[in-house]
Amino acid sequence: MSISPSAAQAGKVALALLAGVTSLALTVPAFAADDEAPAAADRSKAEVTDVYVTARRKSENLQKVPIAVSAISGEQLESAGIYNVENLQKVQPSLQFISSNPRNTATTIRGLGSGIGLTNDGLEQGVGIYVDEVFYARPGSAVVDLIDIERVEILRGPQGTLFGKNTTAGALNITTRAPSFTPEGRVEASVGDYGFLQTKVSLSGPLSDTVAVRVAFGGTKRDGLFKNTYLNVKQNDLNSQVLRAQLLWKPSDKLNVRLSYDFAYQDPEANTQTFVRYGASLRAANRQFPALAAALNYAPPSTNPYDRLVDVNSPLEAKQVINGLSGTVNWDLGDVTLTSITAYRDWDWTPQNDRDYTSLSIRTKSNNYSEQQQISQEVRLASNGDRKVNWVVGAYGFNQRVETNGVEQWGKDGAFWLIGTSVPSNLIDGMTSNTHVVTKVRSYALFGQLTWNVTDRFRITPGLRYTYEEKDGSFRQIVTGGLATTVPAQITAKNNIAPTYAYTADYQDDSPSGQINFAYDLTPTVLGYVNLSKGYKSGGINAAGVPVDANFQPFTASIVVKPEEVETIEAGLKTQFWDKRATVNVAVYSTDVKDYQATVVDGNLGAIRPYLANIEKVEVRGVELDGKFRPTDNLLIYGSVSYTDGKYASFRNGPAPLELQTSSSSVADLSGKDLPGLSKWAGSVGWEYNHPATIGKLSGDAYFSGDVSYRSDWNSDPSVSKYTVVEASTIANFRVGYRASGGTEVFLWAKNAFNEEYLQFLSLQAGNSGAIYGQPGDPRSFGVTVRKAF
């Protein structure tokens, strides 16, 4: 083909950058997931609309699916250096990920899914994570490295009709690469500054005419980004390994059986936080951070969080081991296909934390060791082919047990910092709280969905689900140590920090949920749809402690948490034009949540202490827009933007924001306040320019690409304090490289290329002294990636 002078010049620039620039970066289209990617030399000529997803449990063109769904292919994940869900949010604006450690992880879509700042083993996540159609129940699964991925789909809104476990906010539907009967392999290595090293290997091929195998391994290491000035060590490093092995038996075109085993191990010295700022409250001046710190001759190692200096004096550990087995059977019976998915999963969490975030001995341990096992079984029967009425029906069963053994310990500075000078300074020195919590879940569901093709252009898709759940739990907290005393006021002061108490409870609930979808092809390339859905997030047992009365006995009314009820109406357009070189999709939605599960403070119980309960109502309204354009064969531009307005519509007994606190358990009416953990505006835009180039005997494409993501201000605390606002951030990534037609690729990358200083979250120090700590985002980093596919 002919090359214009401007294009030829751009190609020379790209090659020059490849040869000599070390400060450029890397990107990926946020929503192209081609099932069969074209060869390197032809990739630039591909239509941008050939994207297929399985969001409705069958393969469909993304532009023909009448729901809000985005997708990213495995190749694009690898190119962009996106290796976990935390990275994924940078190219998916409706997705937000907040994690102080794997157990305390909140994944939200459109601002809903998980409460901010709390972890409760007795309740469910609102955003479901599915890998090869298997539900991952624990939030720690979200921080595991993604390897050998074919596609990630992000479904927005309630997803209870077709997906196994009911989820009210959305789902991440992750599909791994299946074993292949054609021998193939991929090898990749990345090296960067801060000691970053990442390797990925996958191999697949036949063992016989009917059996194929696939094995994939990945590992990531990086030095700590924080300097501990007290222990003189680096902290908040990366250390993870992932293994997946699969076996595919395909005795005929009608039957295939896929067996899978996965193992993930993480053991970083991580999850401490840096001092960010002090916020003044209405408490007495001598009970606030400046006076408390001065009295103990303490000062943070830095008041600039981006110095990344910490001084915790207790060990840090964030070890988790996740593994699981699954078996998937697909059997084509002619008119219908039978699908069975059987899975077992196990999660072990071994942490060590210093929760006062200082070198003082206030709360020296806050470790919750958890073990989880789950078994699930799903059976579906779906019609084959295109009919007047297409349908799928199924049943789902889920059984889970979580056991948590927690240890809290206070040190020599604890009494002064948390109680004051009215008690002996050694009152809680060495006091230890040991908790033992067990929760069990048994969940069963029947579901079905059909699509009635009323005409060639008009389709109606109703879906219904019935869920029955049983939960039971036990909580026991035993407190020992500290000053042995018979003084009633001192005993009460110790019990106000942590009393000895226990409770058990059980819970049963059943609920219908469902949706109805109307889709109409306005033209062959313009689809309009309206979707009405009613979701259901189950209630459960409060497994993180509850308020106690004056005799330090638990209030039984606070043990059980009611389910959330979610109603969503959504309308959208999916368009493709310019000879399939461009797409623009838009969705507008309104969501109301009744009995939203949140942290509350309720003086009516006779004791004022935060705990998890239901609030009256939350409202979320929003608009989402995404598009991609190929103005020339060599240039692809893509982008997405979302506006989300979420509010506590009615929340009369919320925890008071720091600036209004007279004590650590003050109550405030938060009705009308913005929902925490949610940016009103978020978006990303990126591009890839490539040009055919020959280097020696190699032919292929030289390319330069980049992406920029933006999030506006958001609040990081349930009380929506003015002190816990995380400021807006803009992150840019670039890459420059060469993709040879034989499968070899080399590129230089820069992440956070302009070294934006931003925070991933903020939290209040225990005791609400006014000290606010946080997690700075990663600084600018450079590196090189080499990969070979064969």
Side-chain angles (χ1 to χ4, degrees), residues 28 72 76-78 80-84 87-88 91 146 200:
V28 62
I72 303 180
Q76 294 160 347
L77 291 171
E78 293 164 356
I82 296 174
Y83 56 88
N84 57 30
N87 302 147
L88 191 63
V91 292
L146 301 171
K200 299 177 184 179

Side-chain angles (χ1 to χ4, degrees), residues 313-472:
N313 57 343
S314 296
L316 297 181
E317 185 177 27
K319 180 180 177 180
Q320 65 169 347
V321 178
I322 303 175
N323 63 90
L325 288 163
S326 67
T328 301
V329 179
N330 285 289
W331 189 7
D332 185 345
L333 299 173
D335 290 337
V336 298
T337 293
L338 175 67
T339 299
S340 172
I341 306 164
T342 307
Y344 167 81
R345 301 207 57 77
D346 179 272
W347 177 70
D348 291 332
W349 165 239
T350 307
Q352 292 191 78
N353 300 291
D354 184 341
R355 282 303 186 199
D356 58 55
Y357 305 120
T358 71
S359 58
L360 299 172
S361 294
I362 302 170
R363 188 164 66 161
T364 56
K365 289 184 180 180
S366 181
N367 309 333
N368 288 286
Y369 306 94
S370 292
E371 287 184 293
Q372 179 252 10
Q373 295 85 34
Q374 69 176 64
I375 299 173
S376 61
Q377 174 65 57
E378 181 173 355
V379 178
R380 296 196 305 267
L381 199 64
S383 62
N384 290 331
D386 291 326
R387 305 180 177 187
K388 188 70 173 179
V389 176
N390 300 312
W391 54 268
V392 58
V393 296
Y396 182 79
F398 176 82
N399 192 305
Q400 174 183 256
R401 183 183 189 274
V402 183
E403 179 177 353
T404 299
N405 290 283
V407 178
E408 300 275 339
Q409 192 172 80
W410 292 264
K412 61 182 180 60
D413 302 313
F416 173 74
W417 198 274
L418 300 174
I419 303 172
T421 57
S422 62
V423 298
S425 60
N426 63 341
L427 181 68
I428 60 173
D429 186 12
M431 190 173 82
T432 302
S433 165
N434 289 279
T435 58
H436 180 251
V437 186
V438 176
T439 59
K440 299 176 182 178
V441 178
R442 292 167 297 281
S443 178
Y444 310 98
L446 298 173
F447 58 88
Q449 181 168 295
L450 63 85
T451 297
W452 175 25
N453 298 294
V454 182
T455 70
D456 290 341
R457 301 172 67 177
F458 181 47
R459 298 170 296 282
I460 301 176
T461 304
L464 187 64
R465 176 191 181 94
Y466 171 78
T467 305
Y468 173 77
E469 292 195 323
E470 298 176 347
K471 297 185 178 183
D472 58 75

Side-chain angles (χ1 to χ4, degrees), residues 15-286:
L15 286 173
L17 289 169
L18 174 63
V21 178
T22 59
S23 61
L24 296 176
L26 160 70
T27 33
V28 62
F31 33 74
D34 302 318
D35 276 0
E36 295 182 2
D42 298 328
R43 192 171 302 169
S44 64
K45 303 174 185 178
E47 296 172 345
V48 299
T49 53
D50 295 334
V51 181
Y52 287 83
V53 296
T54 56
R56 299 197 298 176
R57 297 313 194 202
K58 61 181 180 179
S59 181
E60 298 176 286
N61 189 316
L62 179 64
Q63 292 302 114
K64 297 296 184 181
V65 180
I67 60 174
V69 55
S70 305
I72 303 180
S73 72
E75 286 189 349
Q76 294 160 347
L77 291 171
E78 293 164 356
S79 295
I82 296 174
Y83 56 88
N84 57 30
V85 175
E86 180 178 3
N87 302 147
L88 191 63
Q89 67 178 332
K90 291 181 172 60
V91 292
Q92 291 296 320
S94 294
L95 174 69
Q96 194 145 0
F97 179 88
I98 304 166
S99 178
S100 59
N101 64 48
R103 184 172 182 267
N104 292 278
T105 295
T107 304
T108 65
I109 293 177
R110 295 174 171 174
L112 301 173
S114 303
I116 303 301
L118 55 90
T119 295
N120 198 307
D121 296 329
L123 295 177
E124 309 294 337
Q125 302 295 309
V127 174
I129 299 175
Y130 297 84
V131 179
D132 293 333
E133 303 188 73
V134 175
F135 176 62
Y136 283 34
R138 304 317 301 159
S141 304
V143 301
V144 171
D145 287 2
L146 301 171
I147 64 163
D148 208 27
I149 302 299
E150 177 185 319
R151 182 178 62 256
V152 176
E153 300 167 12
I154 298 92
L155 292 81
R156 305 187 290 275
Q159 302 296 325
T161 302
L162 288 181
F163 281 78
K165 197 74 173 68
N166 194 25
T167 53
T168 54
L172 302 180
N173 186 28
I174 301 170
T175 302
T176 67
R177 296 186 176 109
S180 169
F181 285 94
T182 300
E184 64 177 44
R186 298 166 183 256
V187 179
E188 177 183 310
S190 298
V191 179
D193 51 0
Y194 302 105
F196 180 81
L197 175 62
Q198 186 174 74
T199 57
K200 299 177 184 179
V201 179
S202 66
L203 299 170
S204 185
L207 296 181
S208 70
D209 291 340
T210 59
V211 178
V213 66
R214 187 176 197 97
V215 178
F217 169 80
T220 303
K221 286 185 176 292
R222 191 203 63 201
D223 296 339
L225 297 179
F226 291 8
K227 174 65 180 297
N228 188 315
T229 59
Y230 185 87
L231 300 175
N232 195 30
V233 297
K234 293 289 184 72
Q235 293 180 323
N236 281 29
D237 59 349
L238 297 177
N239 179 16
S240 65
Q241 293 83 44
V242 183
L243 171 71
R244 179 179 293 111
Q246 299 182 76
L247 193 70
L248 175 64
W249 178 48
K250 191 174 182 181
S252 71
D253 291 339
K254 301 292 186 181
L255 175 65
N256 68 76
V257 179
R258 185 174 173 182
L259 303 177
S260 178
Y261 171 75
D262 65 274
F263 175 87
Y265 173 86
Q266 293 183 319
D267 190 18
E269 186 176 346
N271 301 133
T272 189
Q273 300 177 33
T274 63
F275 181 87
V276 176
R277 65 176 71 104
Y278 156 69
S281 68
L282 300 179
R283 304 174 75 182
N286 66 346

Side-chain angles (χ1 to χ4, degrees), residues 762-777:
L762 291 168
S763 58
L764 302 176
Q765 187 191 44
N768 288 15
S769 67
I772 298 170
Y773 290 79
Q775 177 73 59

Side-chain angles (χ1 to χ4, degrees), residues 523-660:
T523 74
T525 57
V526 178
L527 169 68
Y529 69 89
V530 174
N531 197 71
L532 309 174
S533 62
K534 183 171 183 179
Y536 161 82
K537 180 181 176 183
S538 65
I541 311 299
N542 221 326
V546 297
V548 294
D549 61 20
N551 297 316
F552 300 99
Q553 296 302 307
F555 283 104
T556 57
S558 62
I559 295 174
V560 172
V561 182
K562 295 188 295 186
E564 291 181 357
E565 296 181 14
V566 183
E567 294 182 354
T568 298
I569 180 170
E570 177 181 308
L573 284 174
K574 294 194 169 185
T575 70
Q576 47 188 321
F577 52 93
W578 199 3
D579 195 24
K580 292 190 176 183
R581 284 179 174 266
T583 65
V584 174
N585 301 330
V586 61
V588 182
Y589 64 90
S590 173
T591 298
D592 293 333
V593 186
K594 292 175 59 179
D595 292 324
Y596 181 77
Q597 296 165 358
T599 300
V600 307
V601 179
D602 195 344
N604 294 325
L605 290 178
I608 300 179
R609 175 180 174 179
Y611 67 103
L612 193 70
N614 303 95
I615 69 173
E616 295 87 353
K617 190 177 182 181
V618 161
E619 297 175 347
V620 183
R621 313 285 185 257
V623 181
E624 298 162 337
L625 177 71
D626 65 63
K628 49 184 173 176
F629 311 92
R630 191 177 289 282
T632 72
D633 287 347
N634 304 95
L635 177 63
L636 174 67
I637 302 171
Y638 55 90
S640 57
V641 63
S642 67
Y643 172 79
T644 313
D645 182 23
K647 295 186 179 300
Y648 287 133
S650 179
F651 190 5
R652 295 188 294 269
N653 58 327
L658 181 63
E659 59 271 23
L660 299 180

